Amino acid sequence: MFGKIFDDKPADIVVSFLMPDKNDNSHLEYLSITSKLLMHDDFVKYLKKVNTKEEIFQLFE
């Protein structure tokens, strides 16, 4: 666990975006897509089971 978040429950998923240094707000699109995916229980269940970065990339495709 990574600590507690807003609701005092432990966080077990942390997402980070590494974006190119340009000012086109593309990070907002990635944030929106990711937040929608994380609202689906099946997606979160599979995300917690993956073991490699390739498997994570496949989930986000």
Side-chain angles (χ1 to χ4, degrees):
M1 301 298 162
F2 297 107
K4 293 187 178 184
I5 54 175
F6 303 110
D7 59 4
D8 286 332
K9 294 180 181 175
D12 57 355
I13 295 176
V14 175
V15 177
S16 175
F17 297 99
L18 303 174
M19 305 296 295
D21 189 23
K22 54 184 177 177
N23 195 13
D24 65 358
N25 292 327
S26 60
H27 66 286
L28 296 175
E29 181 180 350
Y30 291 109
L31 180 60
S32 174
I33 292 168
T34 302
S35 65
K36 289 174 186 171
L37 287 170
L38 290 170
M39 287 192 273
H40 294 279
D41 291 336
D42 286 343
F43 178 83
V44 174
K45 180 177 74 174
Y46 293 127
L47 183 59
K48 289 179 180 182
K49 290 182 179 181
V50 298
N51 295 309
T52 66
K53 64 182 178 185
E54 290 79 17
E55 291 173 312
I56 294 172
F57 290 141
Q58 286 178 339
L59 281 176
F60 281 90
E61 288 183 339

